[in-house]
Amino acid sequence: MLSDALLLFIVLAPGLVALTGLFHKIIGDKIVMFSTTGVVLAAGALSLFQLFAYAAGVGGHAETAAHGAEHGAAITQHIITLMPWIHVGEFQANWAIRVDTLSIVMMAVITGVSGLVHLYSWGYMSEDPHKARFFSYLSLFTFTMLMLVTADNFLQLFFGWEGVGLASYLLIGFWYQNKAPNDASIKAFVTNRVGDFGLALGIMAVFCIFRTVEFAPFMEALRENSVVTPLAFADPAPAREVIMTFMGHRVWAVEVIGVLLFIGAMGKSAQFFLHVWLPDAMEGPTPVSALIHAATMVTAGVYLVCLMSPLYEYTVVAAGMITLIGAVTALYAATVGMAQNDIKRVIAYSTCSQLGYMFFAAGVGAYEAAMFHLFTHAFFKALLFLGAGSVIHGMHHEQDMRKMGGLARFMPLTYAAMMIGTIAIIGLGVPHTKLGFSGFFSKDAILESAFAGGLENVSFAQMAFWFGIVAAFLTSFYSWRLIYMTFHGPMASQEAHEDHGHAHDDHAAGHDDHGHGHDHTPHESPLVMLIPLGLLSLGAIFAGFYFYDYFVDHSNEAFWAGAIYRASENHVLHARHEVPDWVIYAPLIVTLGGLLLATMTYFFNRGVGKRIAESGGPLYSLFYNKWYFDEIYQATIIRGAAFLGNVFWKADKKIIDGAGADGMTALTLFSARRLSALHTGRLYHYAFVIIGAALIFGALMWLNVGGAH
């Protein structure tokens, strides 16, 4: 493990260097770009060194470490307390950095990918006039994600969680001069607030039941099933057996907390129902897409569920919900990805689908497999997005695959990188061997675990396995569809590029037209963009092979060292080794099937896909229109909220204001105007009023006295 000083550098330096963006007018754009890129690359190198050194240490004494990390053993972790934060009675939270296997893996993923994205952006954003702001936002994004994954309490995690949301809002809407990025950033921000409300309620429930927001005592109480004395809603009981009473209903506290925390994860990781923001996030610059999809934000939900393994090991409803939502998301996003024509949106929906795999793996109890897929996915998804950015750059900011074709001869290095990413994401490999790209090792571990969970009657595990198999077929199909439409076949005509070359401009309106006045022939990207592609290609090829044993096989107990908790030594990750051979070969068969279908449709018979799209059948329309989720939400939630807001606004205006403040004001003004008419300044008018009043009051007194007798 690195020294405390180096660990502090990894976590804090990206946040400090992000502040240089505030002074770019004084120090210049280049200083901001050099400082942010240099610091994040250095943090990435240190984090990767730490991961490899840790894995090598585990391999050196695996049996001893495994013995110490058996069921029930304490977590091997290191806490660096920075300063007190909130100390009010039992509500205790410090600023601290937690270093264990989970945070070591996440630090390597975040800083490694972010450093390469910074470097890549030197080429991609070279002509943008706001480079300093962009690089500052990238570093801020990196810092907030690091704060999230190294938190040792829920409050600091929530700070990082919301910080990532803020940074994503700033980056998705980076080209704020244009309406589309603004709308996309607001959509992402608002959708995530829905999930974050669930997360906030979950944190409140943890404090109410366990009287702490710190991870260590919360997880220790669950592992030991020690008696807790809730602040409200429940009576003292063993931690796993606390029953909450709310609005007349009695529910298990662990289930309530588990569901609420997962709702937060659903929003951040774009799971079914709360997924609608992710494709629209493509309105941001392509490096942002790579960062959001590969290293930050969308992986936060998976990380949270795996971190909370001591909680989800003792839930049925919450774990089943995770499995169900994950399985549905994997299949749903894969169906939509088949019908998209924007190169970035195809890859975006593949992210959504792959996150579904991670979640249903965690739902069936294969937390290590979920983290393994998160780890390998970071390499090939960053590679695919940055490769797509290279294509867009070489095509003068064209994103529509229908206007591409034949690019392999113009962009051979980008083509090679995209091929590696494609083979990795479809999980191509040879079962029972170590021959395969990174996605092969992690995806197959997930599918085998899901099948094993079905044999052990884990909720929705069998359904998740079959949904995952179908999604694997669709993933292979749309991934090769992207390759064939973009890099093979005849190239789109020059006239089409001139007429439509900027219909899907990756830059905001008002920016310089990078292609204007220049040759529109596709070209390879500069070296500064190709170097990250090469490094990520190495990860996409070798990461699964190298880390397979540590993450999910023989050395996994020693590697995780208690950071992932097991309620029983007999779990799906072990049981997956006993599944039938057909389960092991099924992913390979469907992957090859998807490749064959895409090859027949988009390579040998290139016009077939176009004819299918032009026919616009009901199934194609369903997939192309993303199952009409945006339209349904627009017609129900958005218009419904607008209608209710309008009703309440009118009620407030006419009833509350009308009968209240505005009404009293109007009455006072009306009365004052009428009474002021009596003040004429003429003596005989006042005398007339005095005499008249005296006569009236006198008459009333006389009548009153007469009535009394």
Side-chain angles (χ1 to χ4, degrees):
M1 192 176 292
L2 297 175
S3 67
D4 286 2
L6 291 177
L7 287 167
L8 288 174
F9 174 82
I10 292 171
V11 177
L12 301 180
L16 294 174
V17 79
L19 297 175
T20 58
L22 298 174
F23 310 102
H24 74 279
K25 291 185 178 180
I26 300 172
I27 62 179
D29 289 357
K30 285 293 176 64
I31 299 297
V32 176
M33 294 165 67
F34 269 113
S35 57
T36 53
T37 304
V39 164
V40 177
L41 280 172
L46 288 170
S47 297
L48 288 168
F49 170 79
Q50 177 176 239
L51 175 62
F52 279 96
Y54 175 73
V58 168
H61 53 276
E63 291 186 5
T64 304
H67 180 73
E70 286 176 353
H71 165 60
I75 298 174
T76 303
Q77 64 180 13
H78 175 55
I79 304 293
I80 305 172
T81 302
L82 302 178
M83 66 182 75
W85 185 11
I86 298 177
H87 286 191
V88 180
E90 294 179 279
F91 196 89
Q92 304 283 319
N94 295 322
W95 283 109
I97 295 174
R98 188 193 86 261
V99 184
D100 59 7
T101 309
L102 274 171
S103 62
I104 288 172
V105 170
M106 292 302 296
M107 281 191 281
V109 168
I110 294 163
T111 57
V113 173
S114 182
L116 295 178
V117 168
H118 275 73
L119 181 62
Y120 178 94
S121 299
W122 276 73
Y124 193 85
M125 303 294 289
S126 60
E127 299 181 37
D128 193 278
H130 305 291
K131 292 185 284 290
R133 178 164 60 91
F134 181 76
F135 278 80
S136 180
Y137 287 170
L138 287 183
S139 294
L140 175 64
F141 208 152
T142 307
F143 166 69
T144 52
M145 189 67 188
L146 288 168
M147 292 303 295
L148 190 161
V149 300
T150 59
D152 83 326
N153 60 75
F154 281 104
L155 208 58
Q156 186 179 329
L157 180 140
F158 193 71
F159 166 80
W161 197 272
E162 295 304 305
V164 171
L166 168 65
S168 68
Y169 171 80
L170 295 173
L171 283 168
I172 294 168
F174 180 75
W175 288 313
Y176 57 85
Q177 300 94 333
N178 197 20
K179 184 177 185 298
N182 277 330
D183 290 347
S185 62
I186 292 171
K187 187 175 184 179
F189 196 80
V190 172
T191 305
N192 273 274
R193 296 292 73 72
V194 176
D196 293 354
F197 182 64
L199 177 64
L201 289 177
I203 295 172
M204 294 175 195
V206 168
F207 183 70
C208 281
I209 302 302
F210 293 88
R211 304 172 81 109
T212 183
V213 291
E214 295 180 295
F215 293 154
F218 166 64
M219 294 179 183
E220 185 66 23
L222 288 168
R223 286 194 298 267
E224 301 298 329
N225 201 25
S226 53
V227 175
V228 296
T229 305
L231 287 171
F233 304 115
D235 298 320
R240 304 174 207 155
E241 301 164 23
V242 174
I243 296 178
M244 296 179 66
T245 302
F246 184 70
M247 297 181 68
H249 298 281
R250 292 166 58 82
V251 289
W252 295 104
V254 290
E255 298 285 5
V256 172
I257 294 170
V259 168
L260 290 173
L261 294 181
F262 176 61
I263 290 173
M266 284 176 63
K268 197 66 71 184
S269 294
Q271 293 299 282
F272 198 67
F273 295 123
L274 297 180
H275 66 279
V276 292
W277 67 269
L278 192 60
D280 288 24
M282 298 304 97
E283 294 293 342
T286 300
V288 173
S289 303
L291 195 59
I292 289 176
H293 286 249
T296 59
M297 194 158 182
V298 296
T299 60
V302 179
Y303 165 80
L304 175 63
V305 171
C306 294
L307 177 66
M308 293 293 112
S309 57
L311 170 68
Y312 290 110
E313 280 291 279
Y314 297 107
T315 65
V316 175
V317 175
M321 178 180 176
I322 294 170
T323 307
L324 175 62
I325 294 294
V328 171
T329 304
L331 183 58
Y332 157 76
T335 62
V336 177
M338 292 193 303
Q340 302 306 303
N341 297 310
D342 185 307
I343 188 170
K344 287 171 65 176
R345 285 183 180 267
V346 174
I347 304 173
Y349 276 106
S350 80
T351 298
C352 201
S353 182
Q354 298 303 309
L355 287 167
Y357 276 97
M358 299 175 207
F359 273 110
F360 77 66
V364 301
Y367 309 102
E368 298 93 334
M371 287 300 301
F372 191 25
H373 200 52
L374 184 156
F375 179 72
T376 60
H377 177 263
F379 293 103
F380 58 72
K381 186 49 57 71
L383 177 60
L384 287 169
F385 263 117
L386 296 186
S390 182
V391 169
I392 294 166
H393 185 272
M395 287 290 293
H396 310 283
H397 307 287
E398 176 61 70
Q399 295 179 211
D400 193 333
M401 297 187 299
R402 293 170 296 186
K403 298 170 186 174
M404 299 178 186
L407 297 185
R409 65 181 182 273
F410 297 100
M411 311 177 71
L413 298 177
T414 298
Y415 173 59
M418 291 290 283
M419 282 291 289
I420 291 171
T422 297
I423 295 172
I425 195 173
I426 66 173
L428 191 61
V430 182
H432 296 302
T433 72
K434 290 297 184 70
L435 299 175
F437 283 33
S438 58
F440 161 69
F441 295 96
S442 55
K443 187 185 71 176
D444 281 26
I446 288 175
L447 291 172
E448 291 162 12
S449 299
F451 187 86
L455 296 177
E456 297 179 10
N457 295 317
V458 176
S459 299
F460 299 110
Q462 200 70 38
M463 184 198 76
F465 169 77
W466 287 110
F467 276 30
I469 289 292
V470 177
F473 170 79
L474 300 179
T475 301
S476 180
F477 174 80
Y478 67 67
S479 297
W480 288 107
R481 172 180 178 263
L482 184 152
I483 291 292
Y484 292 142
M485 289 183 70
T486 305
F487 294 102
H488 292 273
M491 183 181 172
S493 67
Q494 186 74 16
E495 182 181 356
H497 286 300
E498 291 176 357
D499 290 344
H500 307 288
H502 299 280
H504 296 270
D505 195 359
D506 194 37
H507 282 262
H511 283 199
D512 290 337
D513 184 350
H514 298 175
H516 182 70
H518 296 283
D519 182 11
H520 280 75
T521 302
H523 59 81
E524 188 60 275
S525 296
L527 188 62
V528 73
M529 294 172 64
L530 295 175
I531 290 174
L533 295 183
L535 295 174
L536 288 167
S537 295
L538 294 176
I541 296 171
F542 298 112
F545 166 78
Y546 184 84
F547 285 98
Y548 175 77
D549 188 56
Y550 297 112
F551 274 80
V552 295
D553 210 39
H554 301 299
S555 299
N556 78 302
E557 295 284 354
F559 180 77
W560 292 107
I564 289 178
Y565 173 75
R566 290 291 177 194
S568 169
E569 292 185 12
N570 299 316
H571 54 82
V572 293
L573 206 64
H574 289 165
R576 72 185 181 88
H577 293 294
E578 308 299 326
V579 300
D581 268 356
W582 71 265
V583 173
I584 297 172
Y585 283 97
L588 175 62
I589 294 170
V590 297
T591 296
L592 293 176
L595 166 60
L596 179 62
L597 181 60
T599 303
M600 296 300 297
T601 307
Y602 292 96
F603 187 77
F604 291 115
N605 301 287
R606 194 174 175 89
V608 173
K610 184 179 180 181
R611 289 195 295 273
I612 293 172
E614 290 175 347
S615 67
L619 200 59
Y620 176 83
S621 297
L622 178 68
F623 297 160
Y624 179 77
N625 291 288
K626 302 160 287 189
W627 290 28
Y628 298 100
F629 263 96
D630 285 332
E631 290 79 2
I632 293 170
Y633 283 177
Q634 181 71 30
T636 55
I637 297 174
I638 296 174
R639 290 184 181 175
F643 173 77
L644 288 176
N646 193 41
V647 168
F648 288 127
W649 172 73
K650 288 182 177 179
D652 176 76
K653 191 71 177 173
K654 293 182 178 180
I655 299 175
I656 298 176
D657 286 351
D662 290 348
M664 293 300 295
T665 301
L667 179 62
T668 302
L669 288 172
F670 175 80
S671 303
R673 288 193 185 99
R674 295 298 179 269
L675 290 173
S676 66
L678 299 177
H679 295 276
T680 64
R682 301 179 186 278
L683 183 61
Y684 61 85
H685 284 171
Y686 297 147
F688 176 77
V689 171
I690 292 171
I691 294 170
L695 290 173
I696 291 171
F697 283 117
L700 290 172
M701 291 177 64
W702 180 79
L703 290 173
N704 187 50
V705 171
H709 290 290

